């Protein structure tokens, strides 16, 4: 679904947790470039549905298969992630981290403004 934040309208999961894009991922590649230690800080957004849907999201939702066989949600062909330090719904502490992690907007774009904790 979507929610309002200081960075604008963003995509969140059913619990209100913000989701992010990683600029090093390649659109429609079918894989995530976030592996190993990266996944501890940036866990994948997972689903059990082959065709995920989200109220208010106008971009195209899909999935890719993670190395351990789970289904990671994609938006416009890019994998989605959580930021482990976002403790509560509405937190956007991952925004702009290392200039490679950005919030997702409902159309599937990256919100490339603001820094961590913006």
């Amino acid at each position: 679904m979507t929610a309002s934040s200081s960075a604008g309208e963003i995509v969140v999961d059913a619990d209100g947790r913000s989701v992010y894009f990683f600029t090093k991922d390649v659109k429609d590649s079918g894989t995530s470039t976030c592996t190993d230690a990266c996944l501890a800080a940036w866990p994948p957004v997972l689903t059990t549905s082959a065709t995920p849907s989200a109220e208010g999201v106008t971009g195209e939702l899909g999935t890719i298969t993670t190395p351990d066989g789970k289904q990671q949600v994609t938006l416009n062909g890019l994998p989605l992630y959580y930021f482990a330090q976002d403790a509560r719904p509405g937190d956007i502490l991952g925004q702009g981290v290392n200039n490679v992690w950005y919030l997702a907007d409902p159309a599937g774009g990256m919100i490339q403004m603001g820094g961590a904790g913006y």
Side-chain angles (χ1 to χ4, degrees), residues 12-54:
V12 298
D13 72 3
D15 296 322
R17 293 183 60 204
S18 304
V19 300
Y20 299 86
F21 287 119
F22 185 32
T23 61
K24 295 183 180 183
D25 285 330
V26 177
K27 181 180 170 69
D28 297 323
S29 69
T31 61
S32 165
T33 57
C34 181
T35 58
D36 303 321
C38 175
L39 290 173
W42 299 94
V45 176
L46 299 174
T47 183
T48 55
S49 172
T51 56
S53 62

Side-chain angles (χ1 to χ4, degrees), residues 43-112:
V45 176
L46 299 174
T47 183
T48 55
S49 172
T51 56
S53 62
E55 185 178 328
V57 175
T58 57
E60 183 180 344
L61 291 167
T63 63
I64 60 171
T65 303
T66 63
D68 60 0
K70 296 177 181 169
Q71 294 298 303
Q72 183 172 3
V73 178
T74 61
L75 180 54
N76 288 353
L78 288 169
L80 293 174
Y81 306 86
Y82 297 111
F83 184 46
Q85 293 182 30
D86 283 351
R88 298 180 310 275
D91 282 354
I92 57 170
L93 300 176
Q95 176 64 359
V97 168
N98 296 328
N99 295 315
V100 293
W101 293 97
Y102 295 102
L103 291 160
D105 74 24
M110 288 184 198
I111 300 174
Q112 294 186 318

